Amino acid sequence: MATSPVLALPPGAAGSRIIGLGHHQPPKTLTNDDVAQFVETNDEWIRSRTGIVTRHVAGDDVTVADMATAAAEHALADAGVAADEVDLVIVATATNDDRSPNTAGRVAYALRTGVQPGASTPEGEEAPDLRNVVGPAAMDLNVACSGFAHAVGLADQAIRTGSARTAVVIGAEKLTAYTDWTDRSTCILTADGAGAAVLRAADTPAVGPVVWGTEPELTPAVRIEVPEVKFQQDGRAVFKWAITRAADRARDVVARAGLGLDDIEVLVAHQANLRIIEPLAKALGLEGKVVVTDITESGNTSAASIPMGLSKWWHAGKIPAGVPALLFGFGGGFAWAGQVVLTPER
């Protein structure tokens, strides 16, 4: 019998760490009073049930790739990393319109050229010659609201196995494009935006193992399905899971990182509802720590909510450097995922 050949595995890094954060939000905002102009509601009702005060909405001419690129550029600038150093781009999104090129491919192209694929080079500038350029691996990931945590896990694993050294991980959504603006239960929640993180190989791991899973009985609880192709959810089922079972899942994430809840200094949960975030923080004993509540000014942006909240609060100086932060996403699918990461150094 012939001996099977032994496959070589590339040497990987001990781990990865986040070295830069970025975010982007469209300039147009909708206040609760604005929403009340086209659906029966009011500011007090929305605030009391969701915590949301305002949200950002992208124009018809703005794509998921546009917002993802802007967030990635911000993160790369924050990290001091050039676009040609990136060898992996992952975009977590559930709201991209195109099948191919995927959003990550569009972002990778735009980071190198300054324009989206198919667009003209700005007048006075020479188009770069990319014929002999090997670009980064580029993939989209659709796990809805927990997509960013999933994507960070995959990027960390790629770095540890030697398949990448520098990755840009982005959560980007244009959720308002899939919103039924006559449905009061959902239209008060949705918003648009993007957040990004740059991960780089590190001698000492600063991204803990991803812990992920699904809740099979809740698979249809959050959905965007044909023929309506509109964001719909069973809000009561989601809320019940979040206040009864989410904390147990999050505790598992911390334990897998080899830490205790007392070690966690920052909680960045999916920005679904303030009435979910605050009880989750209390159940974990983290209410006295930094608890990101960007939902008040950004609404629910699905896969963008964790990286956008993390980046906004980081750049605002609300999050300390080099401390353990618990990232925990949950939603459509019904999937959840999380990991403990050390915040970047300033």
Side-chain angles (χ1 to χ4, degrees):
M1 179 181 294
T3 302
S4 298
V6 177
L7 300 180
L9 296 178
S16 69
R17 69 175 304 111
I18 295 175
I19 61 171
L21 294 167
H23 60 274
H24 172 79
Q25 291 180 283
K28 180 181 178 180
T29 61
L30 281 182
T31 66
N32 292 338
D33 290 333
D34 293 329
V35 175
Q37 297 302 307
F38 46 83
V39 70
E40 185 179 352
T41 188
N42 58 63
D43 178 63
E44 189 279 331
W45 193 88
I46 297 174
R47 289 190 191 218
S48 65
R49 285 161 176 78
T50 70
I52 298 171
V53 177
T54 189
R55 73 281 290 147
H56 291 251
V57 177
D60 292 340
D61 60 340
V62 176
T63 67
V64 172
D66 292 331
M67 294 185 287
T69 300
E73 289 174 337
H74 186 195
L76 288 170
D78 185 46
V81 171
D84 60 8
E85 298 178 62
V86 176
D87 46 22
L88 174 62
V89 177
I90 305 178
V91 176
T93 183
T95 55
N96 56 325
D97 289 330
D98 299 323
R99 297 294 178 264
S100 183
N102 63 9
T103 305
R106 291 181 177 278
V107 171
Y109 182 90
L111 291 176
R112 294 293 292 267
T113 66
V115 297
Q116 292 290 336
S120 301
T121 303
E123 186 176 352
E125 296 184 18
E126 185 176 345
D129 185 354
L130 300 178
R131 288 175 294 180
N132 295 315
V133 172
V134 177
M139 64 187 77
D140 286 2
L141 179 69
N142 180 3
V143 203
C145 308
S146 61
F148 181 76
H150 280 83
V152 168
L154 293 178
D156 173 62
Q157 291 170 5
I159 290 171
R160 287 192 284 111
T161 58
S163 295
R165 180 170 178 79
T166 303
V168 176
V169 181
I170 309 160
E173 301 283 16
K174 190 176 180 179
L175 199 52
T176 62
Y178 297 87
T179 296
D180 179 355
W181 292 100
T182 67
D183 179 6
R184 183 176 70 167
S185 66
T186 57
C187 76
I188 63 173
L189 301 170
T190 57
D192 306 326
V198 177
L199 275 68
R200 176 160 276 181
D203 293 333
T204 302
V207 174
V210 63
V211 181
W212 47 25
T214 57
E215 307 292 339
E217 76 278 15
L218 292 178
T219 299
V222 183
R223 60 199 184 277
I224 300 175
E225 295 178 325
V226 294
E228 296 87 359
V229 196
K230 295 296 182 182
F231 168 60
Q232 298 174 295
Q233 72 170 358
D234 182 343
R236 290 184 179 180
V238 173
F239 184 77
K240 181 179 179 180
W241 179 88
I243 63 173
T244 61
R245 295 160 68 181
D248 287 339
R249 305 292 186 257
R251 290 187 188 98
D252 290 343
V253 174
V254 176
R256 285 285 297 276
L259 301 177
L261 285 166
D262 289 344
D263 298 311
I264 302 301
E265 295 295 331
V266 182
L267 172 63
V268 194
H270 167 47
Q271 304 291 291
N273 190 314
L274 194 62
R275 292 172 63 199
I276 290 175
I277 298 168
E278 291 180 339
L280 177 61
K282 184 175 181 179
L284 295 173
L286 299 176
E287 66 268 40
K289 303 296 183 70
V290 178
V291 179
V292 173
T293 55
D294 182 53
I295 187 170
T296 59
E297 60 183 52
S298 298
N300 183 337
T301 55
S302 188
S305 77
I306 289 177
M308 191 162 66
L310 177 63
S311 177
K312 288 176 66 178
W313 280 44
W314 165 257
H315 287 286
K318 298 179 180 180
I319 294 176
V323 301
L326 170 59
L327 312 184
F328 186 70
F330 54 89
F334 190 91
W336 52 268
Q339 60 268 110
V340 176
V341 304
L342 296 185
T343 57
E345 300 293 342
R346 295 194 184 277

